Amino acid sequence: MAEMIRSNPSGMSDADKSVAATADFASVEKHNFTLMHCWKILKDEPKWMELKRKMDMLQNSGSRKDAPPNGHHILDLDADNSAPSTSAPSSSSGKRPMGRDAAKAAKKKAAAASSEYVSKIHDLSVQKIELFKETEGERKAQLDEIVTLEKVKVEEAREHRKMKLDIEREKLALEKRQLDMEAEKKKKEAEKKEKEEDERILAINLDQCQPLQRMYYQALQEDIIQKLVASRCHGPGL
């Protein structure tokens, strides 16, 4: 992938470069490239950029090592042999190229660093998934707790309404009993007054009354006597 980006073919977008790089990987490794998500995360990281720079240096050093040294063919006119001789190659002004073992070690180190980054990304993904699962579990537990609390609240509200209705019924029943008692009391008081009045009328001596009073009280006494006879006839046991 990095090599494809470095080559920077004209007319290709980043997506085209990614497709071409994965195709090259599949043709060489005989399996598909499955770490594209890791590449997208790591490609702009400072450590990864440093790793790419080192790999570029190794590749450039290997290319310079394989290339034939630049030299000049100088004709020595003073020599006995007239054949042209080749002068010693000019020394490069740059630093000495890295050896094969050092290059292999650097590649192994780069591969190990890449594997370490991939492993860290994988671990982070696993941790994220586990955290998501824990969060989902906690959310479900909270929802279950809320549902349970709501059920308890509904049940308590139902019990409260029932208790309130029972109290209202008892209150109405008590008021009714009080009204009945008051009515019974008034009835007894009225009967008592009526009895006392009847007794007073029956106790009147008609012989001592004026003629009109005598006729009046006599009629009242007769009504009282008829009422007493009727009450006895309709009394219990008769």
Side-chain angles (χ1 to χ4, degrees), residues 5-6 38 41 54-55 60 111 125 141 148 168 179 185:
I5 293 176
R6 285 195 303 272
C38 297
I41 295 174
K54 291 181 179 180
M55 293 178 67
N60 294 333
S125 300
T148 303
E168 290 294 331
L179 291 175
K185 183 179 179 180

Side-chain angles (χ1 to χ4, degrees), residues 11-132:
M12 293 183 67
S13 62
D14 291 341
D16 296 334
K17 294 175 184 178
S18 299
V19 172
T22 52
D24 292 342
F25 180 88
S27 63
V28 174
E29 300 295 336
K30 306 303 180 183
H31 63 85
N32 294 330
F33 183 69
T34 59
L35 301 176
M36 182 59 70
H37 59 287
C38 297
W39 163 255
K40 291 180 179 179
I41 295 174
L42 296 174
K43 65 184 181 67
D44 296 325
E45 291 293 327
K47 291 184 178 180
W48 185 258
M49 299 296 291
E50 179 66 18
L51 179 61
K52 290 196 297 182
R53 187 184 67 79
K54 291 181 179 180
M55 293 178 67
D56 292 342
M57 289 177 60
L58 290 175
Q59 185 175 3
N60 294 333
S61 298
S63 299
R64 288 196 299 270
K65 183 178 179 181
D66 295 336
N70 295 327
H72 301 281
H73 296 284
I74 302 174
L75 180 61
D76 189 1
L77 298 177
D78 297 331
D80 295 337
N81 191 359
S82 61
S85 62
T86 304
S87 64
S90 60
S91 60
S92 175
S93 60
K95 64 180 181 179
R96 184 172 178 271
M98 185 181 297
R100 183 178 61 182
D101 295 339
K104 288 183 178 180
K107 288 183 179 180
K108 288 182 180 180
K109 185 177 180 181
S114 177
S115 300
E116 182 180 358
Y117 285 126
V118 172
S119 177
K120 288 182 178 179
I121 292 299
H122 177 71
D123 293 340
L124 289 174
S125 300
V126 172
Q127 291 177 3
K128 185 176 180 181
I129 293 172
E130 292 296 330
L131 180 61
F132 179 76

